[in-house]
């Protein structure tokens, strides 16, 4: 059968050795759940290795939860706790923005003599090509 006929033909494939008896247990569980063995294995792997959630998305979720708490629970202690939560989230956002800005600036810096690194053989290490990012200066 020619490759590419089905979308799954274009997905990563991985040959796997299973210990004795594991294949039978996977097959039984897949049948019980009305899935193929592949779908059952992928389900278990996805549960164990979830897709990373970006920091911003996590922070937005926290803000939403804090807002829900503020609306549903009233009291001076709760309000103080939620205010502290907002302050912590804001600090994380500011820190993340600082880190992101530093990383962006490091990509646009021009190589300088004092940052050259000597390799063991006495040759200078290759500098990454950052020309596509521009110099970071106006008019350059």
């Amino acid at each position: 059968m020619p490759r590419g006929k089905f979308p799954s033909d274009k997905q990563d494939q991985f040959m796997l050795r299973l210990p004795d008896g594991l294949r039978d247990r996977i097959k039984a569980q897949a049948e019980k759940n009305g899935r193929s063995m592949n779908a059952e294995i992928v389900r278990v792997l996805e549960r164990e290795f979830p897709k990373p959630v970006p920091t911003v998305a996590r922070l937005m979720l926290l803000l939403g939860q804090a807002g829900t708490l503020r609306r549903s629970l009233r009291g001076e202690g709760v309000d103080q706790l939620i205010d502290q939560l907002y302050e912590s989230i804001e600090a994380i956002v500011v820190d993340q923005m600082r880190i992101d800005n530093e990383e962006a600036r490091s990509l646009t810096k021009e190589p300088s003599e004092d940052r050259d690194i000597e390799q063991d053989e006495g040759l200078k290490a290759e500098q990454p090509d950052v020309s596509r990012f521009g110099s970071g200066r106006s008019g350059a």
Side-chain angles (χ1 to χ4, degrees), residues 113-128:
E113 299 249 346
D114 60 344
R115 285 189 283 149
D116 287 338
I117 300 170
E118 298 288 330
Q119 292 180 339
D120 291 341
E121 296 81 25
L123 301 173
K124 289 188 178 180
E126 287 186 31
Q127 294 288 330

Side-chain angles (χ1 to χ4, degrees), residues 15-111:
M15 180 67 82
L16 181 66
R17 292 185 189 97
L18 300 173
D20 289 341
L22 183 55
R23 184 183 191 287
D24 294 335
R25 295 193 314 259
I26 293 169
K27 183 177 180 182
Q29 190 67 31
E31 287 174 358
K32 177 181 169 188
N33 293 328
R35 296 186 182 95
S36 67
M37 287 180 60
N38 187 78
E40 190 67 29
I41 292 168
V42 169
R43 183 188 66 82
V44 171
L45 291 172
E46 286 284 356
R47 188 178 61 214
E48 188 66 29
F49 303 102
K51 200 178 285 187
V53 178
T55 302
V56 172
R58 288 180 187 269
L59 293 172
M60 295 304 292
L61 179 63
L62 278 173
L63 286 172
Q65 291 169 337
T68 300
L69 280 174
R70 188 179 296 270
R71 286 187 300 276
S72 53
L73 301 173
R74 284 287 171 206
E76 190 174 318
V78 172
D79 286 340
Q80 286 177 337
L81 181 63
I82 292 172
D83 288 342
Q84 290 171 354
L85 179 60
Y86 278 124
E87 288 173 18
S88 295
I89 292 170
E90 183 178 277
I92 293 169
V93 169
V94 168
D95 285 347
Q96 187 64 47
M97 288 172 59
R98 179 185 51 76
I99 290 167
D100 290 347
N101 286 336
E102 287 173 1
E103 288 174 355
R105 278 195 300 271
S106 73
L107 290 174
T108 60
K109 285 184 181 175
E110 293 179 18

